[in-house]
Amino acid sequence: MAITSPDKSSMHSDATWNSLKQAIAKTSGFQRWRIEKNVAGQLQDTTLDELVSRYLRETLETLAY
């Protein structure tokens, strides 16, 4: 079985997501959302990746209404 290296588009996508994730995590909206969720005890042992994904999903769901 040959070991293959990740293709450039995959590495670019990962770098883009990491950069975007860090930028979102610094916003006041994300910080406020995170505090509200922590007070409700809903974010125990959650990674930043999961937090940002959940924040984006909930924000988009709210905007859809």
Side-chain angles (χ1 to χ4, degrees):
M1 177 199 249
I3 298 174
T4 59
S5 62
D7 63 26
K8 289 182 182 180
S9 64
S10 175
M11 291 187 314
H12 180 70
S13 294
D14 289 346
T16 300
W17 170 243
N18 285 330
S19 178
L20 182 59
K21 178 174 53 178
Q22 293 300 320
I24 290 169
K26 292 178 183 177
T27 66
S28 60
F30 177 83
Q31 295 297 323
R32 186 173 40 252
W33 173 87
R34 189 171 182 176
I35 290 167
E36 290 170 3
K37 297 297 179 180
N38 273 335
V39 168
Q42 298 175 352
L43 301 180
Q44 298 170 354
D45 301 323
T46 308
T47 66
L48 182 60
D49 193 66
E50 293 168 324
L51 288 171
V52 171
S53 294
R54 185 171 167 187
Y55 169 72
L56 291 173
R57 184 175 54 255
E58 289 182 17
T59 301
L60 290 172
E61 288 172 356
T62 300
L63 292 173
Y65 287 117

